[in-house]
Amino acid sequence: MKLITLFLFSTLLASCASVKNHRVNSNFSDEHRPQIHFTPKKGWMNDPNGMVYHNGTYHLFFQHYPDGTKWGPMHWGHATSKDLVHWQEQKIALYPDSLGTIFSGSAVIDKNNTAGFGKNAMVAIFTHHNMEIEKTGSDKYQYQSLAYSLDDGKTWTKYNGNPVLPNPGIRDFRDPKVFWYEEGKKWIMTLATLDHITFYSSPDLKNWKEESKFGKTIGAHGGVWECPDLFQLTYNGEQHWVLIVNINPGGPNGGSATQYFVGDFDGKTFKPYQTDTRWLDYGPDEYAGVTWDNTGSRKLFIGWMSNWQYANEVPTESWRSAMTISRELGLNKIGNKYLVTSKPVQELKVLNQKEFKINTVSTPHFNLSEKAGALDGPVRLSITSNQIRSFTITLSNDLGEKVMIGFDARKNEYFIDRSASGKTGFEKGFAAKHVSPRFSLKNEMDLILVIDDASVELFADDGLSVMTSIFFPTKNYTNISINSNDGFVVKTLTYNTMNSIWK
Ligand code: FRU
């Protein structure tokens, strides 16, 4: 009896310990947990999916494996927000079924009830990934399917006629992004098909017809094409079409990244104005980014803040990966080129806490944390200058770990250097310096840094040069300073400490 009690007691202790090890920290204060970026409470997350705005709510679905912290059988997790900043995780929306696991895709509001699921049904168009078929050696294991919700994404029904777009024999056949093309009164699907894009159209989301192909010999091809998006942006009152194509690997700084093309779309064919490769974000940690549907002329974007090169290895405990800050996209023109710009959504300002403002900061060395207080949680730093000179903004701790962010005037490049940022040994390429070209031709510069516990996002020159980078210091960085041997002078500096979105 005693023995049994002892056995039961020790089993109970052991199970408590293992629960504790994997315990979800309910106030989101566990190590490296972002405070102003969406993360799932527990488990694995990758691509944002099914982003759609409806009845005052932004929906963010996401590639999710709830039972582990590495990529596994995919579900669609679900989070909602009223302001693109504070996120509430909801019940899992889509579970794997007999046709496969649930890969990336999009969602639309069927205002005209074209599919017959109901007026204003929220319809998800996603890839079913069938591991059984994959094991047989056949290429036909990915196909497109539908699910719909009549209660604003709370509960979902899979369409019984799935799949709606069977696989024609293309190994990578996935990530449908659908929108209503008003001019042609039809749905357009942009689909990643191995090394190019195939456009389809449909009157009812159920029957799809191929319209055209794009990109086999255009743009970057260092890896497979994934997660595309097609939408319009305005420049000087003129509408232009932007085609996003995520690619893995083969990004500008290695691993996965988001490239884009600007051009024309006539309901059938996309024609780029130029065919050089352009990247939406030159940092290593924005991937699979696409835009929200049903937001009118405002184009809102979010990406997965990681990279397939090491996403499965990053040193977090009960969850893996965050999304970027929600960003608003725009169009700018430099010479004869249209460039897509990204900026943090203006709503982010709701998190502002204390503001420290200063006019004219002269380097070589300016210790910002001495003036504005030690770095302690998320901050936003905005600077402007009417000079184009080299400088470095350093985040550091008393262990000598640091991230350096700045501009190199000789190379005309922005950079983020996380070589000595702390825990870097989990993947051989992680400790590195990454760069982005400067596109602006102006003799003045502006820079916004959004800094969280484990990431920095850089938006320079009104969002023309953008970089995202994650890091994992052994102890949080407490110091922030600006240095320059080039005599860089800041014209205005605004430093905001920010509230956590979880409190
Ligand atoms: C991109 C991606 C998609 C796919 C999903 C699977 O990161 O590979 O192409 O649908 O992730 O989780």
Side-chain angles (χ1 to χ4, degrees):
M1 180 67 190
K2 250 194 193 153
L3 257 183
I4 291 176
T5 317
L6 197 66
F7 171 75
L8 282 179
F9 186 64
S10 56
T11 318
L12 187 70
L13 268 187
S15 70
C16 280
S18 86
V19 169
K20 187 160 175 260
N21 280 341
H22 296 97
R23 193 186 53 190
V24 178
N25 187 316
S26 54
N27 62 3
F28 280 57
S29 62
D30 33 359
E31 201 182 13
H32 305 306
R33 179 74 87 166
Q35 294 301 305
I36 55 171
H37 291 84
F38 176 73
T39 51
K41 286 197 189 80
K42 70 172 183 75
W44 166 270
M45 174 175 81
N46 56 294
D47 313 356
N49 292 152
M51 291 133 70
V52 66
Y53 179 67
H54 193 220
N55 286 340
T57 299
Y58 294 94
H59 293 265
L60 169 64
F61 299 89
F62 52 91
Q63 287 288 276
H64 189 34
Y65 182 47
D67 302 324
T69 48
K70 287 194 192 277
W71 189 84
M74 284 291 114
H75 302 50
W76 271 28
H78 185 199
T80 53
S81 174
K82 294 279 178 202
D83 62 2
L84 295 158
V85 176
H86 295 89
W87 293 100
Q88 237 116 43
E89 193 170 342
Q90 307 291 348
K91 285 201 308 237
I92 289 177
L94 301 176
Y95 285 82
D97 58 48
S98 63
L99 288 175
T101 62
I102 317 296
F103 270 26
S104 288
S106 49
V108 294
I109 304 302
D110 189 2
K111 294 176 184 164
N112 304 324
N113 195 17
T114 63
F117 298 140
K119 192 168 160 54
N120 290 321
M122 187 180 285
V123 183
I125 308 98
F126 60 89
T127 301
H128 259 127
H129 176 94
N130 190 309
M131 294 195 280
E132 299 308 314
I133 300 181
E134 187 181 12
K135 278 187 213 139
T136 67
S138 157
D139 279 344
K140 300 188 172 183
Y141 54 85
Q142 294 181 341
Y143 30 78
Q144 320 319 319
S145 292
L146 305 181
Y148 60 92
S149 169
L150 302 174
D151 57 5
D152 261 332
K154 288 189 193 67
T155 58
W156 289 84
T157 308
K158 303 245 179 64
Y159 171 49
N160 58 17
N162 283 340
V164 291
L165 180 58
N167 189 309
I170 300 174
R171 199 178 63 245
D172 296 287
F173 187 71
R174 60 176 179 263
D175 308 340
K177 183 76 163 77
V178 174
F179 70 96
W180 178 251
Y181 180 67
E182 182 57 33
E183 293 84 332
K185 301 260 183 282
K186 59 184 180 182
W187 299 99
I188 296 289
M189 178 197 290
T190 309
L191 192 71
T193 48
L194 188 66
D195 56 356
H196 60 278
I197 296 300
T198 308
F199 295 105
Y200 296 85
S201 71
S202 170
D204 57 5
L205 295 166
K206 292 172 173 169
N207 297 286
W208 293 95
K209 167 177 148 226
E210 184 176 322
E211 292 287 353
S212 67
K213 294 187 194 306
F214 168 79
K216 212 174 170 62
T217 57
I218 297 172
H221 279 278
V224 65
W225 282 25
E226 300 184 315
C227 300
D229 194 0
L230 178 69
F231 52 88
Q232 282 180 298
L233 286 176
T234 308
Y235 177 76
N236 261 354
E238 293 162 18
Q239 304 261 65
H240 301 274
W241 288 88
V242 176
L243 175 65
I244 281 183
V245 178
N246 285 279
I247 163 174
N248 175 53
N253 277 301
S256 20
T258 305
Q259 67 175 318
Y260 70 89
F261 306 87
V262 181
D264 238 342
F265 180 71
D266 61 3
K268 191 172 177 60
T269 314
F270 175 79
K271 289 207 182 80
Y273 301 146
Q274 283 108 4
T275 55
D276 56 308
T277 305
R278 296 176 204 167
W279 304 95
L280 208 75
D281 185 315
Y282 279 79
D285 296 305
E286 181 284 305
Y287 191 57
V290 288
T291 62
W292 262 274
D293 194 62
N294 202 31
T295 56
S297 59
R298 209 176 164 211
K299 266 299 155 195
L300 300 163
F301 171 97
I302 206 166
W304 174 44
M305 199 158 60
S306 195
N307 188 315
W308 281 117
Q309 208 172 298
Y310 41 72
N312 276 287
E313 321 301 334
V314 297
T316 56
E317 176 76 14
S318 55
W319 89 101
R320 267 210 179 86
S321 299
M323 294 300 176
T324 65
I325 287 296
S326 304
R327 301 172 181 181
E328 179 153 357
L329 302 184
L331 211 52
N332 203 332
K333 197 173 184 189
I334 309 281
N336 67 342
K337 284 189 181 179
Y338 291 96
L339 296 177
V340 175
T341 60
S342 321
K343 286 188 267 188
V345 292
Q346 103 232 347
E347 287 88 335
L348 192 61
K349 297 209 168 125
V350 303
L351 298 177
N352 284 1
Q353 216 177 34
K354 266 194 300 183
E355 183 162 287
F356 172 81
K357 256 188 165 159
I358 185 164
N359 288 331
T360 316
V361 172
S362 303
T363 47
H365 183 68
F366 176 72
N367 190 328
L368 177 56
S369 33
E370 244 167 42
K371 306 268 188 247
L375 202 55
D376 177 23
V379 296
R380 172 190 181 121
L381 172 63
S382 310
I383 60 174
T384 64
S385 176
N386 39 25
Q387 302 174 325
I388 307 302
R389 301 218 179 151
S390 301
F391 66 90
T392 302
I393 297 169
T394 305
L395 317 178
S396 59
N397 61 21
D398 55 17
L399 301 174
E401 297 172 346
K402 59 186 176 186
V403 171
M404 294 186 290
I405 306 141
F407 179 68
D408 182 332
R410 276 156 291 275
K411 296 184 174 157
N412 199 35
E413 279 174 356
Y414 292 97
F415 64 84
I416 301 179
D417 186 345
R418 64 178 177 196
S419 311
S421 55
K423 302 172 193 167
T424 57
F426 52 88
E427 194 267 331
K428 64 178 179 353
F430 188 82
K433 176 177 178 176
H434 302 106
V435 299
S436 164
R438 178 170 197 257
F439 296 105
S440 173
L441 303 174
K442 291 189 182 157
N443 282 326
E444 53 196 38
M445 177 182 276
D446 63 81
L447 187 80
I448 299 172
L449 298 183
V450 178
I451 299 167
D452 200 349
D453 282 37
S455 63
V456 58
E457 288 158 280
L458 172 158
F459 305 88
D461 304 311
D462 231 8
L464 274 170
S465 296
V466 178
M467 299 184 80
T468 304
S469 184
I470 57 173
F471 45 72
F472 303 93
T474 315
K475 273 169 78 180
N476 284 349
Y477 302 136
T478 48
N479 195 269
I480 178 165
S481 64
I482 308 178
N483 305 284
S484 167
N485 294 325
D486 216 7
F488 180 64
V489 177
V490 173
K491 198 170 90 184
T492 61
L493 179 152
T494 313
Y495 179 79
N496 286 102
T497 58
M498 294 166 95
N499 288 313
S500 164
I501 61 173
W502 307 121
K503 285 173 190 149

